[in-house]
């Protein structure tokens, strides 16, 4: 059943629901500020690790405070014991939805990549690594202050590693655990070993390849094929995927996708 209020926010409508919970549009009852509220299902709210990741998103985004990262207003528990997160209401679409309609010209892809890199730089300065960067977690919103007219907003820091927080690192990250989305995971993530900010930069390289070519750098019949390719295979050039870009762009993407030397 849809709740009437969450804290100081009045629920106005359902935006979407899934196996983990639901997202509602809401409005602050005193100042009228719009918001989006994510609420975990009761059985999910009883799973400590899932709630830890859920609240980790709020803690990470709040610590960074950057215009390219979704703002978190509040988080906590409903009277019924469901974990919730209140965040800014975004009007626009994900990078995945935009990319599904058409490829991006390389200058547009680089402009988006530069915005993503700026937001990541702010996170990395706070010793926060996103670790699940992908087109579905990049939102595009209108902003007349940005030359392109659109600003990116990074979403879902739920599996972010707060390097300065040993409690978060111990409970959310375990050596040998594979966390992330295979298509955009760095070789270190694929191997389940310790990662740092370079994992996010590798993901940016994967995203740029997909924006320009319509496909990620590595594909396979199953997740295992993709994980293996990230670890062992050299990344394809954009030229080999049928897209001609300046040599400098090829070098940039190749550097982002550089694998660690054994």
């Amino acid at each position: 059943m849809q709740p009437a209020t969450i804290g100081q926010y009045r629920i106005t409508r359902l935006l979407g629901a899934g196996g983990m919970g639901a997202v509602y549009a809401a409005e602050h009852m005193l100042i009228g500020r719009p918001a989006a509220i994510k609420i975990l299902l009761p059985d999910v709210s009883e799973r400590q690790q899932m709630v830890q990741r859920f609240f980790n998103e709020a803690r990470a985004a709040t610590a960074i405070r950057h215009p390219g990262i979704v703002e978190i207003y509040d988080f906590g528990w409903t009277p019924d014991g469901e974990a919730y997160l209140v965040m800014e209401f975004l009007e626009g679409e994900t990078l995945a939805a935009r990319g599904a309609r058409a490829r991006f010209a390389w200058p547009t892809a680089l402009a988006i990549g530069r915005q993503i890199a700026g937001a990541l730089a702010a996170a990395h300065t706070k010793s926060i690594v996103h670790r699940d960067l992908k087109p579905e977690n990049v939102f595009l919103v209108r902003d007349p202050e940005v030359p392109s007219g659109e600003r990116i907003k990074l979403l879902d820091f739920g599996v972010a590693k707060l390097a300065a927080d040993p409690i978060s690192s111990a409970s959310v990250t375990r050596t040998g655990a594979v966390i992330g989305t295979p298509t955009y995971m760095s070789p270190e993530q694929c191997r389940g070993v310790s990662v740092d900010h370079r994992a996010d930069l590798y993901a940016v390289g994967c995203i740029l390849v997909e924006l320009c070519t319509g496909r990620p750098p590595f594909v396979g019949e199953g997740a295992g094929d993709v994980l293996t390719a990230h670890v062992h295979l050299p990344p394809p050039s954009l030229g080999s995927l049928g897209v001609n870009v300046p040599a400098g762009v090829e070098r940039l993407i190749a550097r982002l996708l550089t694998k660690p030397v054994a």
Side-chain angles (χ1 to χ4, degrees), residues 8-260:
Q8 294 296 311
Y9 289 86
R10 178 175 58 251
I11 303 296
T12 57
R13 69 183 189 278
L14 176 68
L15 294 175
M20 302 292 291
V23 181
Y24 298 92
E27 183 178 75
H28 194 283
M29 290 183 287
L30 297 179
I31 61 178
R33 178 174 62 184
I37 302 181
K38 293 201 291 188
I39 305 177
L40 294 183
L41 291 172
D43 61 325
V44 179
S45 294
E46 294 175 356
R47 295 157 58 183
Q48 183 178 1
Q49 188 178 52
M50 292 304 302
V51 174
Q52 175 68 33
R53 291 183 181 180
F54 190 62
F55 287 162
N56 193 45
E57 179 177 359
R59 296 169 61 240
T62 300
I64 302 166
R65 297 187 63 83
H66 185 276
I69 295 173
V70 65
E71 185 176 358
I72 304 296
Y73 300 145
D74 194 12
F75 66 97
W77 303 88
T78 70
D80 294 330
E82 298 168 325
Y84 73 86
L85 195 67
V86 184
M87 65 187 70
E88 65 176 307
F89 184 84
L90 301 178
E91 293 188 74
E93 64 181 340
T94 66
L95 191 57
R98 180 74 60 82
R101 296 199 299 271
R103 295 182 186 179
F104 291 78
W106 71 262
T108 302
L110 284 191
I112 291 172
R114 181 171 184 172
Q115 285 196 50
I116 295 173
L120 288 175
H124 297 163
T125 298
K126 297 289 186 178
S127 298
I128 297 172
V129 184
H130 190 289
R131 297 200 307 164
D132 194 21
L133 193 65
K134 54 187 175 182
E136 291 86 347
N137 285 339
V138 180
F139 211 84
L140 300 170
V141 299
R142 292 181 181 178
D143 188 340
E145 299 300 319
V146 178
S148 65
E150 286 187 313
R151 179 183 296 278
I152 66 98
K153 292 275 187 177
L154 298 188
L155 312 176
D156 196 5
F157 276 81
V159 297
K161 178 180 178 181
L162 286 75
D165 185 348
I167 296 177
S168 174
S169 298
S171 61
V172 176
T173 308
R174 294 184 177 90
T175 300
V178 177
I179 296 178
T181 301
T183 302
Y184 310 97
M185 284 166 55
S186 70
E188 297 88 345
Q189 285 176 284
C190 295
R191 294 170 52 216
V193 299
S194 179
V195 303
D196 57 24
H197 67 282
R198 289 171 292 185
D200 287 343
L201 299 182
Y202 186 92
V204 173
C206 293
I207 290 172
L208 288 177
V209 171
E210 185 169 350
L211 294 184
C212 292
T213 69
R215 52 150 285 182
F218 300 112
V219 296
E221 291 186 15
D225 294 337
V226 178
L227 295 175
T228 300
H230 280 301
V231 175
H232 298 292
L233 298 183
S237 67
L238 268 63
S240 70
L241 297 177
V243 176
N244 294 319
V245 298
V249 176
E250 285 278 21
R251 288 194 297 270
L252 170 63
I253 294 177
R255 184 173 181 182
L256 289 169
L257 295 177
T258 298
K259 300 181 191 297

